[in-house]
Amino acid sequence: VANNFVPNQRMKTYHLALLAPLLIGAFSSLRAADDMTALRADFEKTTAAFHQALRTNDADSFFVYVADDAAIMPPNEAPVRGKAPMRTWYSNFLSAFRTTTLTLIARETLVDDNWATELGQYEWTLKPAAGGSPVIDKGNYMQIWKRQPDGHWLFFREIWNSSIPLPQPTSK
Amino acid sequence: VANNFVPNQRMKTYHLALLAPLLIGAFSSLRAADDMTALRADFEKTTAAFHQALRTNDADSFFVYVADDAAIMPPNEAPVRGKAPMRTWYSNFLSAFRTTTLTLIARETLVDDNWATELGQYEWTLKPAAGGSPVIDKGNYMQIWKRQPDGHWLFFREIWNSSIPLPQPTSK
């Protein structure tokens, strides 16, 4: 009987060693779901702060969320590539217009392991810096966000357009 | 000595059982990389065929790649939601214009586990169905594609805009 004692103890150790990968396997899908929930929560928090910076004309806060290699594709002009050129572009924008309201409608967020997309429609009230009546634009937008190694999200690409019909050419 | 034979055999079995999860662990990153290569290859093939259908005004081939819950956000009009309304929209488009050339420039593809994005710039030559000079549009686009359970990709969302400056309002 005493002869069997040592092997039994060792087998018990093996049992525990076997249990570990089984437990890891069983819980890995739960852990992955938890990771995705955390990723989504961080994405929602980040994009909310980003849009709030835009609403309050706060360029410094806005660019905290922008990747160095970001680019925007505004309508009716060339794309703006890189964080520094984007700063100049937004500075020019702010010298012409101040945002008074920005409402996001039919917003969708698609969060994946490395990239996240936000899209929807906007209603944007802009007050001309030179004075005069506010301008209201309505349109669509789509943004790509890039996950960083530390788990945070940075703004990477955006395109938008206006839903307002173009003025019909007047007959001469 | 004979007493130790049976436990040793059993321990050998445990060793193999222990090896299996270790080997799976060691090769899972290689397998994941292979999966991603296959996903990317399938995405490139799909999006190439999709754009070729657009180039050849082939609505039937085009809609093979479109998800039932797809939506497009064209400039200067309301978004078009659903495959059937998109068919009507494209049919109206084809009755006004035929694509003669479509060139994609500065194309980027971001392929993730569940979603893929394609974006870039386009140069699009359109021949009016009613006759007259071809129209050339240049602009930007961003598409979201959704991976299906069988591994294939379906077109899900698109937004685009024109880079051509708006005509300046003429003084009265």
Side-chain angles (χ1 to χ4, degrees):
Chain A
V1 175
N3 267 352
N4 289 327
F5 182 74
V6 176
N8 278 345
Q9 275 294 83
R10 288 172 73 181
M11 278 170 67
K12 201 170 181 181
T13 308
Y14 277 96
H15 272 295
L16 287 173
L18 274 171
L19 265 178
L22 289 174
L23 286 171
I24 290 166
F27 285 102
S28 67
S29 57
L30 289 174
R31 195 186 52 183
D34 276 353
D35 284 353
M36 196 46 80
T37 302
L39 275 184
R40 282 180 196 280
D42 196 55
F43 183 68
E44 289 297 331
K45 198 175 152 187
T46 303
T47 191
F50 177 79
H51 287 116
Q52 194 54 27
L54 194 61
R55 274 186 197 96
T56 54
N57 306 287
D58 182 352
D60 287 343
S61 296
F62 184 87
F63 281 97
V64 165
Y65 301 101
V66 175
D68 288 341
D69 55 351
I72 53 171
M73 302 184 284
N76 309 114
E77 57 181 288
V80 182
R81 299 187 191 280
K83 188 173 184 170
M86 275 179 62
R87 274 189 194 273
T88 305
W89 187 91
Y90 189 47
S91 173
N92 291 339
F93 177 88
L94 286 179
S95 66
F97 295 104
R98 312 295 285 187
T99 294
T100 55
T101 68
L102 173 65
T103 308
L104 305 179
I105 304 144
R107 192 172 157 269
E108 295 179 279
T109 54
L110 312 172
V111 180
D112 222 331
D113 287 346
N114 303 295
W115 304 96
T117 312
E118 175 175 335
L119 67 153
Q121 295 175 259
Y122 65 81
E123 287 188 11
W124 203 353
T125 312
L126 295 160
K127 194 178 154 192
S133 302
V135 178
I136 298 174
D137 191 20
K138 297 182 181 194
N140 311 288
Y141 72 103
M142 194 185 288
Q143 299 171 344
I144 303 172
W145 291 72
K146 181 165 60 167
R147 192 160 72 99
Q148 300 306 293
D150 69 0
H152 285 98
W153 295 96
L154 285 181
F155 174 94
F156 185 61
R157 296 282 181 270
E158 183 168 18
I159 178 172
W160 70 95
N161 64 29
S162 176
S163 297
I164 296 171
L166 291 176
Q168 293 300 307
T170 50
S171 52
K172 288 179 189 173
Chain B
V1 174
N3 268 350
N4 290 328
F5 182 74
V6 175
N8 276 347
Q9 277 293 85
R10 289 173 72 182
M11 278 168 67
K12 201 169 179 182
T13 309
Y14 278 96
H15 273 295
L16 287 173
L18 273 171
L19 266 178
L22 290 174
L23 286 171
I24 290 166
F27 286 101
S28 67
S29 55
L30 289 174
R31 196 186 50 182
D34 276 353
D35 285 353
M36 196 45 80
T37 302
L39 274 184
R40 281 180 197 281
D42 196 54
F43 183 67
E44 289 297 331
K45 197 174 151 186
T46 303
T47 192
F50 177 78
H51 287 116
Q52 194 54 27
L54 195 60
R55 273 186 198 97
T56 54
N57 306 288
D58 182 353
D60 287 343
S61 296
F62 185 87
F63 280 97
V64 165
Y65 302 101
V66 175
D68 287 341
D69 56 351
I72 53 170
M73 301 183 285
N76 309 115
E77 57 181 289
V80 182
R81 301 187 191 280
K83 189 173 184 170
M86 277 178 62
R87 275 189 194 272
T88 305
W89 187 93
Y90 188 48
S91 173
N92 290 340
F93 177 89
L94 287 179
S95 65
F97 295 104
R98 311 295 286 187
T99 294
T100 53
T101 68
L102 174 64
T103 308
L104 305 179
I105 305 145
R107 192 172 155 269
E108 295 179 279
T109 55
L110 313 172
V111 180
D112 221 332
D113 287 346
N114 303 295
W115 303 97
T117 312
E118 173 173 336
L119 67 153
Q121 295 173 260
Y122 65 81
E123 286 187 12
W124 203 355
T125 312
L126 295 160
K127 194 178 155 192
S133 302
V135 178
I136 297 173
D137 190 20
K138 297 183 181 192
N140 311 288
Y141 72 103
M142 193 184 287
Q143 298 170 346
I144 303 173
W145 291 72
K146 181 165 60 166
R147 192 160 73 98
Q148 300 307 294
D150 68 0
H152 286 98
W153 294 96
L154 285 181
F155 175 94
F156 185 61
R157 297 282 181 269
E158 183 169 18
I159 179 174
W160 69 95
N161 64 28
S162 176
S163 297
I164 296 172
L166 291 176
Q168 293 300 306
T170 50
S171 52
K172 290 179 187 171

